[in-house]
Amino acid sequence: MLRMTVATLLFMALLGMSTAGGVLSKIAPGKSAGTCASTDTVGKVTDSFTKTYGEEPKFIFAAPGRVNLIGEHTDYNDGFVMPCAIDYHMVCAISPSDDDTITAVAADFDCQPNKFSLSDPIVKAENKEDFWSNYVRGVCKVLKEDRGLPLRGAKIVIGGDVPQGAGLSSSAALEVSVGTALNAVMKLGLGPKEVALTGQSAEHWVGCNCGIMDQLISACGEAGHSLLIDCRDLSTYSVKIPKGTSIVIVNSNFKHHLAGLDSEYNQRRSQCEEAAQHFGVSHLRDVSIQDLLKEEKALDPQTFRRARHVVTENDRTEAARKALEKGDLVKMGKLMAESHVSMKDDFEITVPPIDGLVSIIGKVIGDEGGVRMTGGGFGGSVVCLCKDDKVEAVKKAVEEQYPALSGGLKATIIVTTAVQGAGTHTPGLKKTAQVG
């Protein structure tokens, strides 16, 4: 089990999420016409801004979390992924200021405003209470110091409802919401993909050597569609979610922690890089399964298994795009099942509670859909694609069977839809538009 640090617990508090089980559904309730984040979340962030600064924010921006349907740990190998943005968001309220100071507040966390000057080198906050601010600092550092863009001071409040620790990319949504806000307010001229790359670099600075998928889908998501993303050239291909199909995310509430250079996530990435070096290529994207099998005896057994997952997962992801386009949930389900087995046996990133959820849900949906672990691993969530009429049976089975095999944990069941990527909402106008 991975140890959860105090900083992780603080960040969980920032995002306002509990470990209690239940059912969350945001297909219809809690949305105002035009806004991309829930009215409760926007209201919470706006109220915090007004309380902190004595005025309403000039702009409010929102960036969604994501669920990856298939293609795990392939993004940093220059491979293929197929995520969709989901109806849970991080919100950034912002007003420009007349000085060079960034002042940031976390609406979900009882803390003092965190300030840093843009005239000085941007460094990480060392005290644990301000750990959350490193995501804001990281975005500002990349924009100003790495990209050389003209940032100026701003008043910021962030908050959201993306479940942290569930493998749904709460940190990426935070980075993209802040990056989108600064880009628009400061007129930096970046497109959504450049905002995503900024967020990825910020995450690296904080300490997790992630790929581009999480930030890219948060910035570029399309309503009603997943995106097949080529992580080498960042090209995207829209894949419509078949009519009558539900996206069900089941959070195991078995928490994971990715940030930190000694994390299991970063270790997996190093192992993939080692395998790529053996073949004389920069990334495992350029290794075929035939090439890999020929070199099995020349590779360390663990390194071989890591590489086999990535190589076969790339093939599965491209096949999944074709299956989903045809509305073939039977084929999609087989590919998702193979993906989960590969993550469990070759990449070794699942845990018993996750495997248990996959088994429970798989028995309910049969061959009319698929289920697999989603996210970085070591806890988090499973994603299920199934017919609408199977959702209630999935909920019932999870609620009745999961606590017994998880040591008493209760899962949180999220029924969601694929939504648009990062956008802006101007108070009073009730109008949302994708930025870039």
Side-chain angles (χ1 to χ4, degrees):
M1 180 187 301
L2 297 181
R3 184 173 61 88
M4 189 175 295
T5 66
V6 174
T8 308
L9 295 170
L10 289 171
F11 191 50
M12 288 170 62
L14 155 66
L15 296 173
M17 304 311 301
S18 73
T19 58
V23 179
L24 303 178
S25 179
K26 295 180 67 178
I27 292 177
K31 312 294 284 189
S32 64
T35 59
C36 55
S38 74
T39 52
D40 289 345
T41 302
V42 172
K44 173 182 62 179
V45 173
T46 302
D47 290 346
S48 179
F49 193 101
T50 302
K51 180 180 179 180
T52 301
Y53 301 114
E55 62 185 30
E56 291 191 352
K58 299 294 184 183
F59 300 98
I60 297 175
F61 298 82
R66 68 97 183 97
V67 65
N68 190 23
L69 301 183
I70 194 166
E72 221 63 73
H73 286 266
T74 49
D75 57 347
Y76 56 80
N77 286 288
D78 264 13
F80 298 96
V81 294
M82 201 167 76
C84 61
I86 61 172
D87 202 10
Y88 289 79
H89 296 77
M90 289 299 296
V91 172
C92 176
I94 186 171
S95 291
S97 62
D98 297 327
D99 54 24
D100 65 351
T101 299
I102 298 289
T103 305
V105 171
D108 299 309
F109 191 42
D110 185 18
C111 63
Q112 296 298 314
N114 186 276
K115 298 183 179 183
F116 56 95
S117 173
L118 296 173
S119 297
D120 300 323
I122 299 173
V123 297
K124 295 177 187 176
E126 296 297 334
N127 56 316
K128 295 173 182 177
E129 292 78 9
D130 291 330
F131 176 80
W132 62 268
S133 73
N134 287 334
Y135 294 92
V136 180
R137 290 168 178 258
V139 171
C140 292
K141 178 189 181 299
V142 174
L143 290 173
K144 184 176 187 295
E145 298 180 7
D146 299 351
R147 289 180 172 265
L149 296 171
L151 286 190
R152 61 183 188 276
K155 304 169 185 176
I156 292 173
V157 172
I158 56 174
D161 60 2
V162 181
Q164 200 275 338
L168 304 179
S169 299
S170 53
S171 60
L174 191 162
E175 293 149 5
V176 172
S177 69
V178 172
T180 301
L182 293 171
N183 179 46
V185 172
M186 309 297 178
K187 295 180 169 53
L188 303 180
L190 302 179
K193 290 181 180 180
E194 293 173 298
V195 170
L197 288 166
T198 296
Q200 180 195 27
S201 295
E203 186 100 14
H204 290 179
W205 185 75
V206 172
C208 182
N209 200 16
C210 65
I212 188 58
M213 172 180 66
D214 297 350
Q215 291 82 6
L216 191 63
I217 190 63
S218 184
C220 303
E222 295 184 17
H225 293 74
S226 61
L227 290 184
L228 178 71
I229 301 172
D230 183 333
C231 295
R232 170 159 290 171
D233 61 14
L234 304 188
S235 60
T236 60
Y237 185 96
S238 299
V239 185
K240 187 175 181 179
I241 304 296
K243 185 177 180 180
T245 302
S246 289
I247 302 170
V248 183
I249 304 165
V250 183
N251 180 0
S252 69
N253 285 314
F254 184 95
K255 298 300 180 182
H256 72 288
H257 172 51
L258 294 184
L261 294 177
D262 60 347
S263 72
E264 293 280 351
Y265 183 99
N266 290 334
Q267 185 181 78
R268 294 302 186 281
R269 180 163 186 161
S270 295
Q271 290 166 336
C272 291
E273 291 170 349
E274 179 183 341
Q277 289 173 3
H278 175 83
F279 287 95
V281 297
S282 61
H283 296 86
L284 286 175
R285 158 75 172 270
D286 299 310
V287 177
S288 69
I289 187 62
Q290 292 80 13
D291 293 336
L292 182 63
L293 292 174
K294 289 177 182 177
E295 292 294 308
E296 179 176 1
K297 293 182 179 179
L299 290 167
D300 171 83
Q302 187 179 74
T303 301
F304 171 78
R305 293 196 304 273
R306 303 294 189 253
R308 182 168 60 185
H309 165 73
V310 173
V311 172
T312 57
E313 186 80 344
N314 273 327
D315 292 341
R316 282 188 290 269
T317 304
E318 291 191 276
R321 186 266 298 176
K322 297 176 183 177
L324 207 57
E325 276 189 318
K326 296 176 181 177
D328 187 350
L329 288 185
V330 174
K331 177 64 174 178
M332 186 69 185
K334 290 180 179 178
L335 293 166
M336 292 175 74
E338 290 171 5
S339 174
H340 185 81
V341 170
S342 181
M343 289 186 288
K344 178 178 181 290
D345 295 339
D346 280 353
F347 225 60
E348 298 179 282
I349 55 174
T350 72
V351 292
I354 290 292
D355 296 332
L357 280 172
V358 168
S359 177
I360 291 168
I361 296 170
K363 291 175 183 177
V364 174
I365 63 175
D367 62 0
E368 295 184 279
V371 58
R372 61 184 284 277
M373 189 207 80
T374 187
F378 308 103
S381 299
V382 304
V383 59
C384 167
L385 280 180
C386 65
K387 295 288 188 180
D388 292 343
D389 60 10
K390 292 282 188 179
V391 172
E392 291 306 317
V394 168
K395 291 178 184 178
K396 186 173 185 294
V398 169
E399 289 167 353
E400 292 180 351
Q401 300 174 41
Y402 178 63
L405 61 82
S406 65
L409 291 174
K410 293 183 179 180
T412 303
I413 303 169
I414 300 169
V415 183
T416 189
T417 55
V419 302
Q420 193 76 5
T424 177
H425 167 71
T426 303
L429 294 182
K430 291 188 177 181
K431 182 180 179 182
T432 297
Q434 193 167 24
V435 176

